[in-house]
Amino acid sequence: VCSDSSSSAGTSEGMFDKLDGVVCKHSITVFQAAPLVFKDKWGNLQPFVKLAFDKESELLSQCCNETHRAIDLIFDNATSKALLKAVDRQSSCLHYSGHGYEKHLAFEDGEGGAVSLGVQDLHDLVKRTNGEPFKLVFVSSCNSEHAGNTFVDAGVPHVVCCMQDSEVKDSAALEFTHQFYSSLTLGHTV
């Protein structure tokens, strides 16, 4: 059962498997960063390229609904405040989708503008707990290697990102996301 609102990953069990015959409740927090504008190097407002969030949301919901596991899907805007809430809530998985740059991710300011969340700021926000902040982080953005390494350094045991700093095509990202979450929610290991 999947719901649109807010664990255990091991080497022999999938992240969303039954434990001791009981379906465990897990959550995937999906951050979608869709700021409308950013300031260029001259201080002029420029529009962001729109990403395919509707398709991504639909396929994530579909992946969860095809299983009989209790997985909550929580969709939220990617803001620093929402990230802190996800860490405090101890979501099993954090899925970030948005624009990525060499050493920062584009988050939102809550008013349509972009906030550049650098890798050190990202690390500091995520590393608030003594344990693992998340079991899995999936970074769906261009240039995600530095952000991925930051999550690993902050204690996340499993991180999915691009191992190269390059542009990611929406269609390729959606297909990979679909295959990955279909396998994961069916009980396959990371």
Side-chain angles (χ1 to χ4, degrees), residues 158-173:
H158 305 287
V159 176
V160 176
C161 65
C162 291
M163 291 201 52
Q164 60 185 8
D165 288 332
S166 62
E167 184 178 322
V168 177
K169 301 286 184 203
D170 264 3
S171 58

Side-chain angles (χ1 to χ4, degrees), residues 132-170:
E132 297 171 344
F134 305 101
K135 300 290 184 189
L136 168 72
V137 171
F138 189 110
V139 185
S140 182
S141 72
C142 298
N143 303 295
S144 61
E145 182 177 12
H146 291 290
N149 288 331
T150 298
F151 284 112
V152 170
D153 291 343
V156 178
H158 305 287
V159 176
V160 176
C161 65
C162 291
M163 291 201 52
Q164 60 185 8
D165 288 332
S166 62
E167 184 178 322
V168 177
K169 301 286 184 203
D170 264 3

Side-chain angles (χ1 to χ4, degrees), residues 32 51-62 75 170-171 174 177-178:
Q32 295 174 327
L51 300 174
F53 292 138
D54 291 341
K55 291 179 184 176
E56 181 185 62
S57 298
E58 185 179 309
L59 81 87
L60 287 170
S61 295
Q62 177 187 354
F75 291 90
D170 264 3
S171 58
L174 286 169
T177 300
H178 181 251

Side-chain angles (χ1 to χ4, degrees), residues 84-133:
L84 290 174
K85 284 172 37 179
V87 169
D88 290 344
R89 176 172 57 241
Q90 297 181 328
S91 291
S92 304
C93 174
L94 174 68
H95 178 99
Y96 169 85
S97 187
H99 294 283
Y101 302 92
E102 185 178 347
K103 295 208 176 181
H104 68 274
L105 296 175
F107 270 54
E108 297 182 26
D109 66 4
E111 297 178 9
V115 172
S116 175
L117 194 59
V119 292
Q120 186 60 51
D121 294 330
L122 188 61
H123 180 275
D124 294 346
L125 288 170
V126 172
K127 191 60 182 162
R128 292 174 31 129
T129 64
N130 291 330
E132 297 171 344

